[in-house]
């Protein structure tokens, strides 16, 4: 029996900005069992307070540097038996806007204080300092927002083991030295072996330097972040700690993402009734204002419109795509210049491209079920979830060979088609030319329905459920416990 405190800055269905929200909303459920007890802890943002249902105060305490007293609220992660704890400090978390940024998309000015306070409160709970008579065996910390937790715990006697998971190295939580001192945390942490990073205060480095075990969200990304191209200056530290670093591919919550039981889609289907997928396609075409046409290949795109996702590689190929009579449906939001380019393309080619700027969970399900192909030209992709969803929906993924995309999609080379293991299309260089060559291959194969169906069906049969990944996390916790014992 082990007890796990799972700390995160977002979790479905309370609050989500990306893949971390999906993972934190489903991995704790997959881990929680008669043998393992999981408590999920996150800040009490306004939407989380709204969505959490019944909550009761179980502790009220002071945290140095907090602008108000702090409360620990207890409930259940909706739809599960996982214990939910929310760290409530209204001046910091109960405000309109997102978890990391305000309504205009600018990072909250006090993020160091907000997540610093969260980390301090979690480490107090982990050391049983609130009188709860409860102590976890492992604290599982996710991304930079939780990076100080292992650092704060490292020097404590009788501490729980710590695991730090990187969901994206590009987001590091970098602040000033003044913000470090304002947080009133032990001054010894300001060192090369602690949170100091080229004169800055780095939350992510705190986790990377001090956690008992490190993980990231795919085996390929675990290798990539040890290189200058993906390590953002931390590759040396990651190489040094590589014996503590593992890659575990994210799982899919098939209760939410499976066309057999997806309540959002127009018509359910399985690999045996894949012909019904076309009803979802026509509904999507109609909804997005595109001509309803069964034969025209429809490419779906969903994601944050940021440099990482490589949408510019796709935009560079728009004219060719239009000339070959394809349809493209786009859902996303992010950097204004990307949003603008997509909107211009949709205005220029209204018969072929339809774009929705914004965040729409339901439309994301319609796109997964209604598209023929799903494009992820990401420059890097720690795990990626949409390619995993796409596989289950028979929506053939077209992906760049990087991170979790490389670990989950098998290219439709002739050899792989013959062996009946092909599940999608993979291109090797993050260039418009490499993408174009692969788009051409995909569209040519789409015109051969028998071969195409084989690829769809092989993809639909893949199992990326949390079961396998959860087992790997349990093994990781065990290793962390061993290291903590010997530290
Ligand atoms: P990342 O975490 O980098 O954003 P992932 O592929 O790991 O990328 O996870 C993204 C998740 O967010 C997926 O569940 C995806 O469907 C969802 N998502 C991203 N943008 C949108 C959007 N505009 N509307 C609905 N869902 C979105």
């Amino acid at each position: 029996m082990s007890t796990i405190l799972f700390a995160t800055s977002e979790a479905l269905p309370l609050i989500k900005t990306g893949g971390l929200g999906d993972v934190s909303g489903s991995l704790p459920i997959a881990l929680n069992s008669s043998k393992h007890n999981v408590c999920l802890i996150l800040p009490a943002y306004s939407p989380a307070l709204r969505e959490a249902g019944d909550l009761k105060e179980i502790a009220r305490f002071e945290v140095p540097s907090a602008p108000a007293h702090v409360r620990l609220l207890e409930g259940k992660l909706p739809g599960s038996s996982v214990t939910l704890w929310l760290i409530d400090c209204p001046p910091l978390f109960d405000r309109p806007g997102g978890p990391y940024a305000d309504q205009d998309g600018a990072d909250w000015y006090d993020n160091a204080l907000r997540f610093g306070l969260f980390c301090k409160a979690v480490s107090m709970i982990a050391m049983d300092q609130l009188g709860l008579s409860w102590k976890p065996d492992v604290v599982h910390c996710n991304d930079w927002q939780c990076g100080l937790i292992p650092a704060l715990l490292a020097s404590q006697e009788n501490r729980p083991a710590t695991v730090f998971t990187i969901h994206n190295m590009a987001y590091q939580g970098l602040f000033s030295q003044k913000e470090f001192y304002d947080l009133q945390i032990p001054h010894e942490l300001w060192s090369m072996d602690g949170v100091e990073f080229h004169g800055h205060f780095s939350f992510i480095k705190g986790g990377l330097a001090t956690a008992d075990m490190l993980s990231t969200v795919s085996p390929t990304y675990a290798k990539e972040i040890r290189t200058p191209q993906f390590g953002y200056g931390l590759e040396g530290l990651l190489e040094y700690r590589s014996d503590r670093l593992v890659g575990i591919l994210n799982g899919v919550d098939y209760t939410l993402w499976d066309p057999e039981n997806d309540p959002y889609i127009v018509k359910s289907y399985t690999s045996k009734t894949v012909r019904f997928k076309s009803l979802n396609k026509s509904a999507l075409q109609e909804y997005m204002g595109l001509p309803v046409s069964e034969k025209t290949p429809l490419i779906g795109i969903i994601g944050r419109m940021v440099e990482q996702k490589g949408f510019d590689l796709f935009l560079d190929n728009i004219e060719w795509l239009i000339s070959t009579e394809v349809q493209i449906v786009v859902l996303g939001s992010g950097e204004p210049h990307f949003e603008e380019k997509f909107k211009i393309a949709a205005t220029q080619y209204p018969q072929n491209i339809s774009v929705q700027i914004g965040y729409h969970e339901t439309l994301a399900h319609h796109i997964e079920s209604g598209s023929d192909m799903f494009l992820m030209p990401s420059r890097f992709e720690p795990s990626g979830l949409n390619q995993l969803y796409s596989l289950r929906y028979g929506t053939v993924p077209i992906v760049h060979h990087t991170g979790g995309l490389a670990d989950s999609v098998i290219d439709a080379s002739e050899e792989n088609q013959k062996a009946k293991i092909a599940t999608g299309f993979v291109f090797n260089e993050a260039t418009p030319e490499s993408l174009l060559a692969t788009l051409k291959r995909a569209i040519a194969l789409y015109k051969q329905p028998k071969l195409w169906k084989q690829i769809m069906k092989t993809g639909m049969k893949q199992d990326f459920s949390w079961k396998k990944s959860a087992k790997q996390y349990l093994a990781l916790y065990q290793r962390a416990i061993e290291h903590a014992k010997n530290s």
Side-chain angles (χ1 to χ4, degrees), residues 74-291:
E74 183 177 86
K76 290 281 176 209
L77 178 67
S80 81
S81 57
V82 171
T83 300
L84 171 69
W85 281 346
L86 297 179
I87 300 288
D88 186 41
C89 185
L92 297 184
F93 301 122
D94 192 2
R95 46 169 87 155
Y100 319 123
D102 63 20
Q103 280 141 321
D104 298 325
D107 284 348
W108 289 113
Y109 64 94
D110 55 353
N111 270 345
L113 176 60
R114 295 170 77 236
F115 293 106
L117 171 113
F118 177 63
C119 290
K120 285 199 280 183
V122 173
S123 49
M124 288 167 79
I125 292 165
M127 291 306 296
D128 194 17
Q129 290 168 351
L130 304 189
L132 298 172
S133 301
W134 182 90
K135 206 168 173 185
D137 299 305
V138 184
V139 190
H140 186 167
C141 310
N142 293 278
D143 270 353
W144 74 260
Q145 293 85 353
C146 299
L148 295 187
I149 302 169
L152 290 167
L153 290 174
S155 58
Q156 310 259 356
E157 292 276 325
N158 268 330
R159 64 173 176 85
T162 53
V163 168
F164 183 61
T165 298
I166 307 141
H167 297 260
N168 195 331
M169 276 299 288
Y171 301 96
Q172 307 208 334
L174 285 182
F175 301 96
S176 66
Q177 189 173 17
K178 177 179 181 312
E179 285 165 304
F180 170 81
Y181 286 115
D182 287 349
L183 264 187
Q184 302 173 35
I185 52 180
H187 285 188
E188 310 82 82
L189 288 177
W190 188 264
S191 79
M192 286 264 292
D193 307 325
V195 300
E196 193 265 332
F197 182 60
H198 300 297
H200 292 281
F201 169 24
S202 166
F203 271 55
I204 200 171
K205 193 174 164 222
L208 297 180
T210 62
D212 294 308
M213 284 300 295
L214 305 174
S215 78
T216 186
V217 287
S218 68
T220 295
Y221 196 57
K223 288 190 202 123
E224 287 173 340
I225 56 176
R226 286 154 51 192
T227 66
Q229 194 187 348
F230 300 97
Y232 297 90
L234 288 162
E235 59 276 6
L237 173 60
L238 286 161
E239 184 58 37
Y240 176 70
R241 300 210 70 204
S242 57
D243 60 330
R244 302 284 184 104
L245 171 65
V246 301
I248 303 175
L249 191 68
N250 283 339
V252 174
D253 184 345
Y254 287 126
T255 62
L256 299 176
W257 291 99
D258 187 335
E260 188 173 0
N261 47 36
D262 185 333
Y264 296 121
I265 67 177
V266 170
K267 178 79 184 164
S268 332
Y269 59 96
T270 64
S271 60
K272 293 202 179 83
T273 56
V274 78
R275 62 187 181 282
F276 292 141
K277 185 169 164 61
S278 65
L279 297 173
N280 294 294
K281 178 172 176 177
S282 51
L284 178 65
Q285 287 168 322
E286 206 169 308
Y287 178 80
M288 296 297 286
L290 293 171

Side-chain angles (χ1 to χ4, degrees), residues 10 12 16-23 167-168 171 217 250 257 301-306 308-309 330-333 356-365 368 374 376 378 380-387 389 405:
E10 54 182 276
L12 259 182
K16 164 178 159 181
T17 68
L20 174 62
D22 293 272
V23 174
H167 297 260
N168 195 331
Y171 301 96
V217 287
N250 283 339
W257 291 99
I301 293 179
I302 304 171
R304 293 180 297 113
M305 292 181 176
V306 293
Q308 174 198 340
K309 300 291 175 182
V330 183
L331 166 64
S333 62
Q356 277 251 357
I357 300 296
Y359 192 95
H360 302 283
E361 197 74 33
T362 318
L363 182 54
H365 287 252
E368 283 293 1
F374 193 91
M376 293 180 78
S378 310
F380 67 94
E381 193 60 79
S383 168
L385 286 167
N386 277 113
Q387 86 281 12
Y389 304 155
L405 302 176

Side-chain angles (χ1 to χ4, degrees), residues 320-321 324 425 435-446:
W320 178 82
L321 280 163
T324 53
F425 295 85
L435 170 59
L436 178 61
T438 303
L439 285 168
K440 284 182 178 170
R441 271 202 298 140
I443 288 164
L445 215 70
Y446 178 79

Side-chain angles (χ1 to χ4, degrees), residues 274-427:
V274 78
R275 62 187 181 282
F276 292 141
K277 185 169 164 61
S278 65
L279 297 173
N280 294 294
K281 178 172 176 177
S282 51
L284 178 65
Q285 287 168 322
E286 206 169 308
Y287 178 80
M288 296 297 286
L290 293 171
V292 174
S293 153
E294 196 175 338
K295 284 219 169 94
T296 310
L298 175 52
I299 303 178
I301 293 179
I302 304 171
R304 293 180 297 113
M305 292 181 176
V306 293
E307 172 86 7
Q308 174 198 340
K309 300 291 175 182
F311 292 138
D312 48 312
L313 307 178
F314 161 79
L315 286 160
D316 283 350
N317 285 308
I318 283 257
E319 259 141 49
W320 178 82
L321 280 163
I322 303 304
S323 71
T324 53
E325 296 279 323
V326 299
Q327 292 181 342
I328 302 137
V329 165
V330 183
L331 166 64
S333 62
E335 288 168 19
H337 68 105
F338 280 122
E339 293 184 359
E340 202 48 39
K341 280 185 190 141
F342 274 116
K343 281 196 265 186
I344 292 171
T347 316
Q348 241 177 337
Y349 308 107
Q351 299 293 303
N352 301 83
I353 306 183
S354 179
V355 175
Q356 277 251 357
I357 300 296
Y359 192 95
H360 302 283
E361 197 74 33
T362 318
L363 182 54
H365 287 252
H366 287 302
I367 295 177
E368 283 293 1
S369 65
S371 305
D372 296 302
M373 306 168 198
F374 193 91
L375 180 62
M376 293 180 78
S378 310
R379 291 198 160 76
F380 67 94
E381 193 60 79
S383 168
L385 286 167
N386 277 113
Q387 86 281 12
L388 304 179
Y389 304 155
S390 300
L391 288 169
R392 181 49 64 102
Y393 282 75
T395 303
V396 178
I398 302 172
V399 303
H400 176 216
H401 188 274
T402 186
L405 302 176
D407 291 334
S408 55
V409 180
I410 301 173
D411 184 61
S413 62
E414 277 189 21
E415 203 184 342
N416 290 339
Q417 283 188 63
K418 267 196 204 122
K420 295 196 175 12
I421 55 169
T423 59
F425 295 85
V426 183
F427 61 100

